Amino acid sequence: MTLIWETARRLRQKVVRREVSAAEVVRAFLERQEAVEPKVRAFLHRVPEETLLEEARALDRRLAQGEEPGPLWGVPVALKDNMAVEGMPMTAASRILEGYHPPYDATVVKKLREAGALLVGKTNLDEWAMGSSTETSAFGPTANPWDRQRVPGGSSGGAAAAVAAGEVPLSLGTDTGGSIRQPASFCGVVGLKATYGYVSRYGVASLASSLDHVGPLARTVEDAALLYYVIRGRDSLDGQTWGAPEAPGHIPEPLESLKGWRLGLPKEAFAHPALDPQVKETVLAAVDLLASLGAEVEECSLPTFGLSVEAYQVLMAMEAASNLARYDGIRYGRRMAGRTVQELYEKTRGEGLGTEVKRRILLGTYLAQAPQYPLLWERADKVRRLLRKEMEDLFHRYHLLITPTSPTVAFPFGALEENPDLRAYADIYTIPANLTGVPALSLPCGFEPHLPVGLQLLAPWGQEEKLFQVARTYEEEARWPLKPPLGEGTGLGGKLEP
Ligand code: GLN
């Protein structure tokens, strides 16, 4: 197996054992990027080869001098371009930030550097993380590596596509309503949205602060866990992290059997009219596999499931409108000239922001000022509280809940704009975990017919380890092939090489 298809854990191991140098690892991935990036367009910014090689050689030297290697030593990692990295541009895929170079590192970036990761660049996203396809990016969409006529999902579409295409073994995305898990599902990779407040958002562009999460994308559950534990933890610069565990995380091995595990299938999720019958069948086949390993699977009920999207729309738009007010042409990025301050604001925001972003700012601003505001907000918040209560009750009976990650497989470019239903329901399965804050993981569970399908597992607050245990057990048993057909031959139809 060539270096690019190795897991992050194995890559680090090889570097640390000096079987390969970090510089060789970097070269292998840069070569891969040269070959496939014109087809996939996952990146908005790539670090120049010389800079990366210098950083890699520095790691090799420090290792030779006896330094204790960190958990991601020599592993290339890509970052969604809504995170601040000193020395790299940051756009959030918006024209309004063009020319902005953050003078500091986001906390997650700092942690990656300390772990010995090599930061290779910034990946494409929907503008300001608003969308489900990367089509709202001001710099053009990313293609799905499994079918380049289709979207990679979004908003972390570039991060998912880069990992799926073998351009990096790991990437970081953000998830406010599903933006890590849905692209992971569309691109056939693993994506984790951990417990709310377990990963610092300092230095990451805010969309809706009560729903925003940062998390890993990887090709295996073990790699996702590895990256997650590097970035997890309390941070005085993000007050919401006060409850994050300080102890190092444990990556569990796959289990021999799932005897004793109780898994709940919310019937409202599986009966939803937006769910594609083939996706449903694929997910249920995965559930059968879990049952054949000994898990007790039972239908359960999450009555408020059907109201989550509406509640999310209200909360997200209101928070987004207030968070995005800071991009005014004065503090960051691009500035259009105006005779008055008002005119400067209008021109900068009018030209610098895309349609979808304006749509949400207008909606959020309207909602916050409308006479019915208290009622709307209260109702949305009530849905959130009800959902929390219902999930808490379910988690007394079940170790995990299972749903599809997305009602469909990756759709063709343009479909989202043409089909209001697709748009409305793209996030039905992912939003509940953002509203409640519980951890949720998406992992590949089959193909329909040639496009990846994602299985979503939800765990109680703070119980990521349970997700890893069951997901690793499933992954080990199912062994889906994970190389998209980008010209190197191996696509579908075979088992993964051991
Ligand atoms: N697709 C959702 C939206 O557009 C989720 C976005 C996100 O998680 N950043 O709101």
Side-chain angles (χ1 to χ4, degrees):
M1 216 202 263
T2 60
L3 283 178
I4 59 158
W5 295 112
E6 291 285 13
T7 64
R9 190 189 62 85
R10 289 266 304 151
L11 280 175
R12 179 209 177 253
Q13 202 176 59
K14 282 179 178 255
V15 172
V16 168
R17 291 183 183 159
R18 318 244 199 119
E19 291 165 27
V20 294
S21 64
E24 281 169 291
V25 171
V26 160
R27 267 194 224 102
F29 281 97
L30 288 179
E31 205 176 289
R32 175 66 175 176
Q33 287 168 19
E34 286 305 316
V36 301
E37 192 47 20
K39 301 179 185 174
V40 179
R41 302 180 307 273
F43 283 87
L44 290 178
H45 170 76
R46 286 197 288 142
V47 175
E49 176 164 357
E50 262 324 296
T51 314
L52 265 180
L53 282 174
E54 242 169 64
E55 286 176 14
R57 287 192 203 107
L59 287 178
D60 289 329
R61 267 197 310 276
R62 283 158 62 190
L63 188 71
Q65 285 159 3
E67 186 170 331
E68 184 62 34
L72 292 175
W73 200 263
V75 178
V77 180
L79 303 145
K80 185 176 181 177
D81 195 20
N82 58 355
M83 304 180 189
V85 182
E86 196 181 345
M88 293 190 204
M90 169 172 167
T91 66
S94 185
R95 296 247 173 242
I96 205 167
L97 266 201
E98 252 177 328
Y100 175 59
H101 280 76
Y104 69 108
D105 280 338
T107 297
V108 287
V109 170
K110 203 168 135 242
K111 286 179 179 247
L112 285 174
R113 292 196 204 271
E114 284 162 8
L118 289 160
L119 310 179
V120 301
K122 312 288 288 290
T123 56
N124 199 14
L125 62 151
D126 283 291
E127 186 175 357
W128 291 108
M130 296 180 182
S132 305
S133 66
T134 74
E135 291 170 291
T136 73
S137 167
F139 307 108
T142 296
N144 190 313
W146 293 91
D147 178 343
R148 286 180 277 134
Q149 307 304 315
R150 289 171 188 264
V151 305
S155 59
S156 315
V163 171
E167 296 186 77
V168 272
L170 297 174
S171 64
L172 277 188
T174 59
D175 190 315
T176 303
S179 279
I180 290 174
R181 291 160 288 156
Q182 184 255 22
S185 164
F186 279 18
C187 291
V189 299
V190 178
L192 170 74
K193 180 211 83 69
T195 304
Y196 181 73
Y198 275 23
V199 178
S200 167
R201 285 99 35 99
Y202 176 71
V204 178
S206 305
L207 172 51
S209 310
S210 77
L211 304 161
D212 288 346
H213 299 69
V214 177
L217 293 111
R219 278 193 303 272
T220 66
V221 177
E222 185 184 33
D223 274 3
L226 177 67
L227 178 50
Y228 165 59
Y229 287 135
V230 166
I231 57 173
R232 184 179 81 172
R234 248 169 257 170
D235 177 14
S236 59
L237 299 169
D238 178 354
Q240 295 291 354
T241 61
W242 63 271
E246 287 297 274
H250 169 66
I251 305 179
E253 291 299 318
L255 301 165
E256 285 297 317
S257 123
L258 292 176
K259 277 212 176 59
W261 284 81
R262 286 189 310 279
L263 311 176
L265 266 53
K267 62 173 186 232
E268 294 81 2
F270 285 87
H272 198 285
L275 178 56
D276 178 288
Q278 262 88 45
V279 170
K280 179 173 175 175
E281 208 174 284
T282 308
V283 170
L284 288 177
V287 172
D288 283 345
L289 190 113
L290 294 169
S292 76
L293 291 167
E296 249 174 80
V297 181
E298 207 175 87
E299 192 180 88
C300 61
S301 175
L302 193 60
T304 307
F305 171 82
L307 294 174
S308 330
V309 174
E310 286 77 1
Y312 168 81
Q313 295 294 353
V314 171
L315 299 169
M316 178 270 301
M318 287 174 57
E319 292 187 39
S322 107
N323 273 327
L324 267 72
R326 65 178 69 116
Y327 306 107
D328 55 7
I330 294 190
R331 282 173 278 197
Y332 310 86
R334 198 159 98 145
R335 178 181 305 166
M336 306 295 295
R339 274 167 302 147
T340 61
V341 174
Q342 184 65 24
E343 197 180 296
L344 181 153
Y345 286 162
E346 282 173 14
K347 278 205 179 156
T348 305
R349 286 168 73 82
E351 290 176 32
L353 297 171
T355 313
E356 179 63 23
V357 180
K358 285 181 188 154
R359 202 186 279 173
R360 296 197 195 196
I361 291 175
L362 287 174
L363 174 65
T365 308
Y366 170 74
L367 289 174
Q369 292 173 3
Q372 64 273 35
Y373 155 69
L375 188 66
L376 276 170
W377 191 88
E378 223 168 82
R379 282 199 184 156
D381 194 53
K382 192 168 173 186
V383 167
R384 190 202 301 242
R385 277 180 286 131
L386 273 172
L387 209 56
R388 271 195 195 141
K389 175 82 182 70
E390 288 168 12
M391 274 210 196
E392 238 174 70
D393 290 346
L394 286 180
F395 284 130
H396 287 309
R397 275 189 286 144
Y398 305 105
H399 296 99
L400 300 178
L401 299 180
I402 297 187
T403 72
T405 305
S406 160
T408 66
V409 290
F411 35 80
F413 287 108
L416 209 57
E417 202 54 51
E418 282 159 23
N419 183 344
D421 278 353
L422 202 58
R423 196 186 160 85
Y425 296 127
D427 308 309
I428 45 172
Y429 296 122
T430 46
I431 282 174
N434 297 82
L435 287 174
T436 56
V438 303
L441 177 139
S442 176
L443 80 161
C445 74
F447 292 85
E448 191 35 58
H450 66 295
L451 297 164
V453 176
L455 174 75
Q456 183 178 229
L457 308 175
L458 295 96
W461 191 272
Q463 309 224 359
E464 281 77 5
E465 206 178 309
K466 283 201 177 118
L467 296 178
F468 299 148
Q469 258 172 326
V470 172
R472 286 203 75 185
T473 308
Y474 173 83
E475 179 185 56
E476 182 74 13
E477 204 56 35
R479 287 187 166 261
W480 292 105
L482 297 176
K483 295 183 193 172
L486 278 165
E488 66 283 292
T490 16
L492 285 174
K495 296 249 165 183
L496 260 189
E497 298 108 286

